[in-house]
Amino acid sequence: MSPAVRDQARYNLARPPWPVATVSWLLGSPDPATALRVLDLGSGTGSGARTAACLGHTVLAVDPSADMLAALDQSNRKLPAHVGARITTARGTAEDLPAADGSIDAILCLQSWQWVSVTEAAGECLRVLAPGGSLAMAWHTWDRSVPWVCELAEIVGHTATPPSHGTTLPHGVSGLGKFEQRNFHVAFQLTLDQFVELADSWRYVHQRPDRAAVLERVRALGRNQVGPTGTLEFPHVTECYRAVTHSRQEWSNP
């Protein structure tokens, strides 16, 4: 494994997972017997793509980074063969998707829509979606209702509450319905070392001149949260949005 791919694999381990319930909702809560053609836009190392594949869907993982996709392929080798076979990869961007017109049933964009050119990306998504296809975005954010998470924010200098990501959505796009919104809660299970590595992966920590001292404070905070299993739970709220094209027979909400 090349150093770049190894770094991306570490990135994958230090990011919250995409649970089945969250991904299922983002895909429109289809019947369990329904197999969708899913495009994971900005797939990174493929955490969301793997969840969708485990649900029985075929997934095209699209990312501009060859190293990210190589790390995704490396991780997929740990999956059962029939699950890993459902995932293919391709380099591409939201503004130039490597998929044919009408070839996709659902698009996932996890932690990455804020980087796209909204007008161009929305047009490309509508191009590749089949009639009645769905478009969904989601972001993990820290659960600041938990006191120790607020203390972590103080330590790393990240105290400002992030704004809602709903402002970045392609509202009012012809052919796309109104976005539904729902929040999910996820407890990110980490060892103490993984928790410190996660903090070090944040640019605003990694580039600080006092990085070592900050990470020691993060370690001390995390040590107080470690439970009997040897791990700690880093609570997050996942902000989710989904919309369907106007021609779709909408699925019933759960």
Side-chain angles (χ1 to χ4, degrees):
M1 187 188 302
S2 72
V5 172
R6 188 179 300 111
D7 286 345
Q8 300 305 339
R10 290 175 62 207
Y11 169 98
N12 179 56
L13 290 173
R15 290 297 180 274
W18 293 97
V20 164
T22 304
V23 172
S24 180
W25 187 89
L26 289 166
L27 293 175
S29 304
D31 182 277
T34 302
L36 302 177
R37 298 166 297 174
V38 176
L39 190 151
D40 184 8
L41 174 56
S43 62
T45 54
S47 178
R50 285 187 287 277
T51 301
C54 287
L55 284 167
H57 308 300
T58 59
V59 184
L60 173 61
V62 176
D63 198 277
S65 168
D67 289 335
M68 285 283 191
L69 295 177
L72 186 157
D73 287 332
Q74 184 75 21
S75 295
N76 286 354
R77 294 173 190 171
K78 301 175 184 177
L79 296 172
H82 70 285
V83 176
R86 296 182 186 130
I87 303 174
T88 57
T89 61
R91 292 185 69 182
T93 66
E95 297 78 19
D96 187 15
L97 294 173
D101 294 4
S103 62
I104 300 297
D105 296 312
I107 295 175
L108 292 174
C109 192
L110 308 176
Q111 299 283 131
S112 55
W113 184 261
Q114 70 273 20
W115 304 114
V116 310
S117 173
V118 173
T119 301
E120 292 180 39
E124 266 293 88
C125 289
L126 287 172
R127 177 185 69 79
V128 304
L129 283 170
S134 65
L135 173 62
M137 300 88 160
W139 292 265
H140 294 308
T141 58
W142 300 357
D143 186 350
R144 294 171 186 259
S145 69
V146 178
W148 77 262
V149 175
C150 294
E151 187 176 349
L152 172 66
E154 292 282 351
I155 290 171
V156 300
H158 193 56
T159 56
T161 301
S164 168
H165 289 284
T167 58
T168 69
L169 302 182
H171 294 294
V173 173
S174 178
L176 188 65
K178 183 178 179 180
F179 279 92
E180 300 175 71
Q181 197 271 330
R182 181 170 172 181
N183 289 339
F184 289 82
H185 292 266
V186 58
F188 186 20
Q189 298 281 345
L190 295 162
T191 65
L192 181 57
D193 286 343
Q194 287 172 334
F195 179 60
V196 175
E197 184 173 357
L198 172 62
D200 194 31
S201 74
W202 301 329
R203 183 176 301 177
Y204 50 83
V205 171
H206 192 74
Q207 295 181 347
R208 287 179 61 142
D210 59 345
R211 165 177 167 263
V214 169
L215 291 177
E216 279 304 310
R217 292 180 64 194
V218 169
R219 181 175 293 276
L221 176 66
R223 188 177 295 116
N224 292 333
Q225 310 306 320
V226 173
T229 62
T231 62
L232 60 88
E233 292 188 351
F234 187 4
H236 284 67
V237 177
T238 309
E239 186 181 342
C240 300
Y241 298 87
R242 69 182 184 189
V244 297
T245 55
H246 292 307
S247 59
R248 184 175 205 158
Q249 179 67 43
E250 295 193 16
W251 291 313
S252 297
N253 294 336

